[in-house]
Amino acid sequence: MQLRPVFEARIEVGPVQEVGVTAKGVRKMIPILGGSFSGQDIEGIILPGGADWQLVRPDGVAEIEAHYTMRTSDGVCIYIMNRGYRHGPPDVMAKLAQGIEVAPDQYYFRSSPVFEVEQGKYDWLTRSIFVGTGERHKDHVRFRFYMCE
């Protein structure tokens, strides 16, 4: 299996809203404010209105589940549901939670996105497995998405 780079996304996020402590861990919601994405065969913007629903488990692992919409430069809307995990040493995760920049090689942040789009130019997104690598910054998240070939 090989991974082919498909596109990179810069997702602007709002302040973390803590929902509270549940039986499964600490539930958080991070609003998605907008952003952009680009790659060799696809580019456009991230529409505002999505959210990243996180569950920080008692073992410190953050389960990520982000739902948002991308609009290509030629006007096609693509729904993405991006699930993954983020974890690392407690001191690194504490810095990230405070909005302090940390080198991405200091923690694990991986995802497996699923796309929905109308038939046409971009429906190739619905026929393959994709993986992503993430980086958390103070006001945005950067993902690089790859197609498994």
Side-chain angles (χ1 to χ4, degrees), residues 17-92:
Q17 298 176 24
E18 192 165 308
V19 176
V21 179
T22 72
K24 295 181 180 182
V26 178
R27 176 66 66 184
K28 299 178 180 185
M29 190 278 291
I30 299 92
I32 294 175
L33 306 177
S36 61
F37 64 95
S38 64
Q40 183 175 349
D41 299 319
I42 190 169
E43 68 178 3
I45 62 171
I46 308 291
L47 298 176
D52 179 2
W53 292 93
Q54 294 184 7
L55 178 69
V56 181
R57 303 183 324 207
D59 64 358
V61 174
E63 295 181 2
I64 309 298
E65 185 170 326
H67 297 254
Y68 52 98
T69 305
M70 309 177 342
R71 185 171 61 219
T72 63
S73 57
D74 55 352
V76 176
C77 286
I78 302 168
Y79 167 75
I80 178 173
M81 192 267 299
N82 195 22
R83 287 186 176 159
Y85 297 105
R86 188 177 66 221
H87 58 82
D91 60 319
V92 170

Side-chain angles (χ1 to χ4, degrees), residues 2-3 12 15 52 67 71 96 105 107 109 112 121 149:
Q2 295 182 350
L3 297 178
E12 298 164 7
D52 179 2
H67 297 254
R71 185 171 61 219
L96 284 176
D105 64 355
Y107 57 98
F109 193 2
S112 53
K121 184 176 179 180
E149 295 184 326

Side-chain angles (χ1 to χ4, degrees), residues 96-145:
L96 284 176
Q98 297 168 17
I100 299 170
E101 296 284 327
V102 177
D105 64 355
Q106 299 297 304
Y107 57 98
Y108 181 93
F109 193 2
R110 302 292 184 269
S111 71
S112 53
V114 175
F115 303 94
E116 291 181 30
V117 64
E118 64 188 19
Q119 284 190 315
K121 184 176 179 180
Y122 302 104
D123 63 4
W124 53 271
L125 289 164
T126 67
R127 295 190 299 265
S128 295
I129 300 293
F130 294 83
V131 294
T133 62
E135 299 174 17
R136 179 66 164 104
H137 298 273
K138 184 175 183 174
D139 62 352
H140 71 280
V141 176
R142 182 173 309 278
F143 267 102
R144 290 176 180 87
F145 292 108

